[in-house]
Amino acid sequence: MRTLFTMRPDRTGTAADGVVLMLHGGAEHGRGEVDSRSRALWRTRLMARQIEDQVTTAGHALVVLRFSVRGWNGAEASPVADARWALEELRGRYGEVPVVLVGHSMGARTALHAADDPGVVGVVGLAPWFPVDEDLAPLTGRHLVAAHGHLDRITSARATRAVVGRAETVAASSRFIDMGAVGHYMLARMRAWNDVAAQQSLALLAKARA
């Protein structure tokens, strides 16, 4: 069941200057329910707990979305529908404030597809699953930041670099961050991954409100 987890709701209530919506990873295929045992969800919620002070102290809401099912599944059961549902829910809660989508792996691909929502100002992809031929039209006028390590054997840093390069023709800005000799699951150099997620999200929200 798709679910929104709000971090430190006592700090923001229903008043926030912006929203950081975090999207967890998954698999290419899989219709099983995402439950509390999901390692992908666990990793994203762990990151959310580690960056919540930075985000909420700046006056923004920090929310994690649990997808309905584990896989991308093409157009048949894509998590993009869950992301669009979450964006509508957050609009009803916080109003027309800027939103940054932070996605890991499949979550980053979901963020890219949902970036054309009117509230979204940017995407931060962490070890993203970005096929080299992905349609980048949803990024038009939005900002893209993508961080990847070259030891990743699950998703491709080379493909991410290629997508970041292609995005320069449509996005407001497009940036690749080299995380060095790390793999996919963001457990090595955890603090560095957290810093990218928090600092890049805050920077994009600041741009939107400038």
Side-chain angles (χ1 to χ4, degrees), residues 2-201:
R2 57 192 182 192
T3 309
L4 290 173
F5 303 98
T6 304
M7 314 301 292
R8 300 297 294 267
D10 54 306
R11 287 198 177 181
T12 54
T14 56
D17 293 331
V19 178
V20 176
L21 176 60
M22 301 187 69
L23 310 176
H24 64 82
E28 185 173 359
H29 304 287
R31 297 177 181 276
E33 182 180 353
V34 178
D35 58 27
S36 59
R37 295 170 294 178
S38 165
R39 292 183 179 181
L41 176 61
W42 171 85
R43 180 64 189 92
T44 295
R45 293 190 72 180
L46 174 62
M47 175 177 280
R49 288 193 294 271
Q50 292 172 332
I51 69 173
E52 62 184 355
D53 278 347
Q54 294 179 70
V55 175
T56 58
T57 297
H60 306 304
L62 177 62
V63 183
V64 176
L65 169 63
R66 175 169 62 189
F67 294 132
S68 300
V69 294
R70 297 175 181 273
W72 177 258
N73 305 317
E76 298 176 5
S78 167
V80 176
D82 290 338
R84 295 197 186 282
W85 166 83
L87 288 163
E88 284 296 332
E89 290 289 312
L90 295 172
R91 198 164 9 253
R93 185 185 303 179
Y94 300 110
E96 300 290 341
V97 298
V99 179
V100 171
L101 301 176
V102 177
H104 173 232
S105 193
M106 183 189 77
R109 188 177 187 185
T110 303
L112 190 157
H113 280 251
D116 57 359
D117 181 274
V120 173
V121 298
V123 169
V124 178
L126 308 173
W129 174 24
F130 285 166
V132 292
D133 59 350
E134 195 74 289
D135 179 12
L136 302 184
L139 288 173
T140 301
R142 276 68 172 177
H143 300 277
L144 173 64
V145 178
H148 221 136
H150 65 258
L151 296 185
D152 194 327
R153 298 295 180 261
I154 306 299
T155 57
S156 168
R158 181 175 296 180
T160 296
R161 281 186 182 272
V163 167
V164 168
R166 288 178 53 223
E168 293 177 356
T169 63
V170 296
S173 68
S174 183
R175 179 185 178 194
F176 180 87
I177 297 176
D178 186 349
M179 298 299 292
V182 296
H184 187 69
Y185 296 106
M186 304 188 299
L187 296 174
R189 298 193 67 210
M190 187 180 296
R191 181 174 295 181
W193 286 108
N194 293 343
D195 285 347
V196 169
Q199 294 173 13
Q200 297 302 318
S201 296

